Amino acid sequence: LDVGCGEGMLTCQLASRCCDVTGLDLNSQVLAVAEEAKPRHCNVKFTVGDIMTYPFPPAKFTFLTSVATLHHLPLEGTLIRFGELLAPGGVLAIIGLYRAQDAIDAGFQVAGFIASQAKRRVHRFQEMSAPVREPQQTLGEIKKAARRLLPGSDVRRRLFFRYSLVWQKPNTIDQ
């Protein structure tokens, strides 16, 4: 499951490694673009819906990803929902945005800005069609929620104003 899949670039890349892939997004217009760009005979299904209310059965997915989407949703409720949707042994991989809070964050933001400007000079810049929203949670708040709700998760600061969160759901309820 690719939550907040937008135009489906990552969703379609996942299709080469997975049997079935679902891209979920609230925006039907952007999903129409994704559907048009989808390779023929691709094992991807694009679905319009809200991750918090879409009637997916529990433990349906072995891999769940979300890129630059979590800051648009309630942090704790969404982490709980992601955990519910993962099958035992399944993996959650999030690339998210956080609100800068201190000098370390500011340093990473400066480095990210410089790196993004350099990257734009080398690679063609692609404008995003997704809605933009400033993140509300700090990296510390995200780490704290992840530790509590997804024990054993790994949250790391990344360049380009991002963090990664990776978690593997335990194979049994007892773990």
PDB file of all heavy atoms in Angstrom, residues 27-44:
ATOM      1  N   ASN A  27      -7.181  12.563  -3.767  1.00  0.00           N
ATOM      2  CA  ASN A  27      -7.410  13.407  -4.931  1.00  0.00           C
ATOM      3  C   ASN A  27      -7.673  12.563  -6.179  1.00  0.00           C
ATOM      4  O   ASN A  27      -6.756  11.959  -6.740  1.00  0.00           O
ATOM      5  CB  ASN A  27      -6.187  14.306  -5.129  1.00  0.00           C
ATOM      6  CG  ASN A  27      -6.384  15.351  -6.181  1.00  0.00           C
ATOM      7  OD1 ASN A  27      -7.029  15.118  -7.199  1.00  0.00           O
ATOM      8  ND2 ASN A  27      -5.809  16.519  -5.957  1.00  0.00           N
ATOM      9  N   SER A  28      -8.919  12.538  -6.630  1.00  0.00           N
ATOM     10  CA  SER A  28      -9.272  11.731  -7.800  1.00  0.00           C
ATOM     11  C   SER A  28      -8.638  12.259  -9.077  1.00  0.00           C
ATOM     12  O   SER A  28      -8.319  11.487  -9.983  1.00  0.00           O
ATOM     13  CB  SER A  28     -10.790  11.653  -7.958  1.00  0.00           C
ATOM     14  OG  SER A  28     -11.333  12.951  -8.132  1.00  0.00           O
ATOM     15  N   GLN A  29      -8.414  13.571  -9.161  1.00  0.00           N
ATOM     16  CA  GLN A  29      -7.805  14.131 -10.366  1.00  0.00           C
ATOM     17  C   GLN A  29      -6.355  13.699 -10.503  1.00  0.00           C
ATOM     18  O   GLN A  29      -5.900  13.356 -11.594  1.00  0.00           O
ATOM     19  CB  GLN A  29      -7.911  15.659 -10.359  1.00  0.00           C
ATOM     20  CG  GLN A  29      -9.344  16.137 -10.502  1.00  0.00           C
ATOM     21  CD  GLN A  29      -9.466  17.633 -10.318  1.00  0.00           C
ATOM     22  OE1 GLN A  29      -8.690  18.255  -9.600  1.00  0.00           O
ATOM     23  NE2 GLN A  29     -10.470  18.218 -10.967  1.00  0.00           N
ATOM     24  N   VAL A  30      -5.611  13.703  -9.413  1.00  0.00           N
ATOM     25  CA  VAL A  30      -4.213  13.281  -9.482  1.00  0.00           C
ATOM     26  C   VAL A  30      -4.132  11.773  -9.724  1.00  0.00           C
ATOM     27  O   VAL A  30      -3.219  11.293 -10.410  1.00  0.00           O
ATOM     28  CB  VAL A  30      -3.426  13.729  -8.230  1.00  0.00           C
ATOM     29  CG1 VAL A  30      -3.701  12.862  -7.036  1.00  0.00           C
ATOM     30  CG2 VAL A  30      -1.944  13.779  -8.505  1.00  0.00           C
ATOM     31  N   LEU A  31      -5.106  11.016  -9.232  1.00  0.00           N
ATOM     32  CA  LEU A  31      -5.112   9.574  -9.496  1.00  0.00           C
ATOM     33  C   LEU A  31      -5.442   9.280 -10.956  1.00  0.00           C
ATOM     34  O   LEU A  31      -4.980   8.276 -11.506  1.00  0.00           O
ATOM     35  CB  LEU A  31      -6.085   8.854  -8.570  1.00  0.00           C
ATOM     36  CG  LEU A  31      -5.618   8.709  -7.125  1.00  0.00           C
ATOM     37  CD1 LEU A  31      -6.643   7.931  -6.304  1.00  0.00           C
ATOM     38  CD2 LEU A  31      -4.264   8.051  -7.031  1.00  0.00           C
ATOM     39  N   ALA A  32      -6.203  10.152 -11.597  1.00  0.00           N
ATOM     40  CA  ALA A  32      -6.457   9.993 -13.033  1.00  0.00           C
ATOM     41  C   ALA A  32      -5.151  10.142 -13.809  1.00  0.00           C
ATOM     42  O   ALA A  32      -4.895   9.406 -14.770  1.00  0.00           O
ATOM     43  CB  ALA A  32      -7.495  11.015 -13.502  1.00  0.00           C
ATOM     44  N   VAL A  33      -4.310  11.079 -13.388  1.00  0.00           N
ATOM     45  CA  VAL A  33      -2.985  11.250 -13.999  1.00  0.00           C
ATOM     46  C   VAL A  33      -2.155   9.991 -13.762  1.00  0.00           C
ATOM     47  O   VAL A  33      -1.478   9.484 -14.669  1.00  0.00           O
ATOM     48  CB  VAL A  33      -2.267  12.497 -13.435  1.00  0.00           C
ATOM     49  CG1 VAL A  33      -0.822  12.565 -13.905  1.00  0.00           C
ATOM     50  CG2 VAL A  33      -3.029  13.766 -13.806  1.00  0.00           C
ATOM     51  N   ALA A  34      -2.204   9.452 -12.546  1.00  0.00           N
ATOM     52  CA  ALA A  34      -1.464   8.232 -12.213  1.00  0.00           C
ATOM     53  C   ALA A  34      -1.930   7.071 -13.079  1.00  0.00           C
ATOM     54  O   ALA A  34      -1.108   6.299 -13.596  1.00  0.00           O
ATOM     55  CB  ALA A  34      -1.644   7.898 -10.734  1.00  0.00           C
ATOM     56  N   GLU A  35      -3.219   6.948 -13.253  1.00  0.00           N
ATOM     57  CA  GLU A  35      -3.782   5.859 -14.055  1.00  0.00           C
ATOM     58  C   GLU A  35      -3.318   5.953 -15.508  1.00  0.00           C
ATOM     59  O   GLU A  35      -2.975   4.951 -16.131  1.00  0.00           O
ATOM     60  CB  GLU A  35      -5.314   5.888 -13.970  1.00  0.00           C
ATOM     61  CG  GLU A  35      -6.000   4.636 -14.415  1.00  0.00           C
ATOM     62  CD  GLU A  35      -5.719   3.421 -13.542  1.00  0.00           C
ATOM     63  OE1 GLU A  35      -5.875   3.504 -12.318  1.00  0.00           O
ATOM     64  OE2 GLU A  35      -5.345   2.382 -14.113  1.00  0.00           O
ATOM     65  N   GLU A  36      -3.276   7.158 -16.031  1.00  0.00           N
ATOM     66  CA  GLU A  36      -2.818   7.381 -17.413  1.00  0.00           C
ATOM     67  C   GLU A  36      -1.335   7.016 -17.571  1.00  0.00           C
ATOM     68  O   GLU A  36      -0.935   6.495 -18.613  1.00  0.00           O
ATOM     69  CB  GLU A  36      -3.017   8.836 -17.823  1.00  0.00           C
ATOM     70  CG  GLU A  36      -4.443   9.181 -18.184  1.00  0.00           C
ATOM     71  CD  GLU A  36      -4.889   8.494 -19.472  1.00  0.00           C
ATOM     72  OE1 GLU A  36      -4.125   8.500 -20.463  1.00  0.00           O
ATOM     73  OE2 GLU A  36      -6.000   7.944 -19.478  1.00  0.00           O
ATOM     74  N   ALA A  37      -0.532   7.315 -16.573  1.00  0.00           N
ATOM     75  CA  ALA A  37       0.916   7.084 -16.652  1.00  0.00           C
ATOM     76  C   ALA A  37       1.290   5.637 -16.335  1.00  0.00           C
ATOM     77  O   ALA A  37       2.413   5.221 -16.600  1.00  0.00           O
ATOM     78  CB  ALA A  37       1.639   8.024 -15.693  1.00  0.00           C
ATOM     79  N   LYS A  38       0.359   4.881 -15.782  1.00  0.00           N
ATOM     80  CA  LYS A  38       0.635   3.505 -15.361  1.00  0.00           C
ATOM     81  C   LYS A  38       0.982   2.644 -16.580  1.00  0.00           C
ATOM     82  O   LYS A  38       0.289   2.671 -17.587  1.00  0.00           O
ATOM     83  CB  LYS A  38      -0.601   2.947 -14.648  1.00  0.00           C
ATOM     84  CG  LYS A  38      -0.472   1.525 -14.169  1.00  0.00           C
ATOM     85  CD  LYS A  38      -1.656   1.103 -13.325  1.00  0.00           C
ATOM     86  CE  LYS A  38      -2.848   0.793 -14.190  1.00  0.00           C
ATOM     87  NZ  LYS A  38      -3.940   0.169 -13.438  1.00  0.00           N
ATOM     88  N   PRO A  39       2.078   1.882 -16.477  1.00  0.00           N
ATOM     89  CA  PRO A  39       2.424   0.981 -17.584  1.00  0.00           C
ATOM     90  C   PRO A  39       1.320  -0.046 -17.828  1.00  0.00           C
ATOM     91  O   PRO A  39       0.609  -0.439 -16.904  1.00  0.00           O
ATOM     92  CB  PRO A  39       3.702   0.290 -17.098  1.00  0.00           C
ATOM     93  CG  PRO A  39       4.229   1.136 -16.010  1.00  0.00           C
ATOM     94  CD  PRO A  39       3.048   1.828 -15.407  1.00  0.00           C
ATOM     95  N   ARG A  40       1.179  -0.460 -19.062  1.00  0.00           N
ATOM     96  CA  ARG A  40       0.189  -1.477 -19.421  1.00  0.00           C
ATOM     97  C   ARG A  40       0.454  -2.766 -18.666  1.00  0.00           C
ATOM     98  O   ARG A  40       1.600  -3.106 -18.402  1.00  0.00           O
ATOM     99  CB  ARG A  40       0.290  -1.762 -20.909  1.00  0.00           C
ATOM    100  CG  ARG A  40      -0.958  -1.497 -21.655  1.00  0.00           C
ATOM    101  CD  ARG A  40      -0.692  -1.779 -23.099  1.00  0.00           C
ATOM    102  NE  ARG A  40      -0.916  -0.553 -23.818  1.00  0.00           N
ATOM    103  CZ  ARG A  40      -1.719  -0.468 -24.856  1.00  0.00           C
ATOM    104  NH1 ARG A  40      -2.288  -1.540 -25.322  1.00  0.00           N
ATOM    105  NH2 ARG A  40      -1.919   0.676 -25.430  1.00  0.00           N
ATOM    106  N   HIS A  41      -0.590  -3.477 -18.338  1.00  0.00           N
ATOM    107  CA  HIS A  41      -0.499  -4.768 -17.647  1.00  0.00           C
ATOM    108  C   HIS A  41       0.242  -4.649 -16.315  1.00  0.00           C
ATOM    109  O   HIS A  41       0.921  -5.564 -15.883  1.00  0.00           O
ATOM    110  CB  HIS A  41       0.174  -5.823 -18.530  1.00  0.00           C
ATOM    111  CG  HIS A  41      -0.443  -5.942 -19.869  1.00  0.00           C
ATOM    112  ND1 HIS A  41      -1.746  -6.345 -20.054  1.00  0.00           N
ATOM    113  CD2 HIS A  41       0.047  -5.677 -21.101  1.00  0.00           C
ATOM    114  CE1 HIS A  41      -2.030  -6.346 -21.349  1.00  0.00           C
ATOM    115  NE2 HIS A  41      -0.953  -5.941 -22.010  1.00  0.00           N
ATOM    116  N   CYS A  42       0.128  -3.518 -15.708  1.00  0.00           N
ATOM    117  CA  CYS A  42       0.789  -3.269 -14.433  1.00  0.00           C
ATOM    118  C   CYS A  42      -0.110  -3.770 -13.296  1.00  0.00           C
ATOM    119  O   CYS A  42      -1.328  -3.629 -13.346  1.00  0.00           O
ATOM    120  CB  CYS A  42       1.055  -1.764 -14.288  1.00  0.00           C
ATOM    121  SG  CYS A  42       2.027  -1.317 -12.863  1.00  0.00           S
ATOM    122  N   ASN A  43       0.507  -4.346 -12.274  1.00  0.00           N
ATOM    123  CA  ASN A  43      -0.229  -4.908 -11.142  1.00  0.00           C
ATOM    124  C   ASN A  43      -0.512  -3.857 -10.064  1.00  0.00           C
ATOM    125  O   ASN A  43      -0.348  -4.108  -8.889  1.00  0.00           O
ATOM    126  CB  ASN A  43       0.545  -6.080 -10.558  1.00  0.00           C
ATOM    127  CG  ASN A  43       1.984  -5.726 -10.232  1.00  0.00           C
ATOM    128  OD1 ASN A  43       2.550  -4.788 -10.783  1.00  0.00           O
ATOM    129  ND2 ASN A  43       2.580  -6.457  -9.321  1.00  0.00           N
ATOM    130  N   VAL A  44      -0.942  -2.673 -10.507  1.00  0.00           N
ATOM    131  CA  VAL A  44      -1.234  -1.563  -9.612  1.00  0.00           C
ATOM    132  C   VAL A  44      -2.715  -1.215  -9.701  1.00  0.00           C
ATOM    133  O   VAL A  44      -3.283  -1.168 -10.789  1.00  0.00           O
ATOM    134  CB  VAL A  44      -0.386  -0.313  -9.972  1.00  0.00           C
ATOM    135  CG1 VAL A  44      -0.874   0.904  -9.224  1.00  0.00           C
ATOM    136  CG2 VAL A  44       1.077  -0.555  -9.689  1.00  0.00           C
TER     137      VAL A  44
END
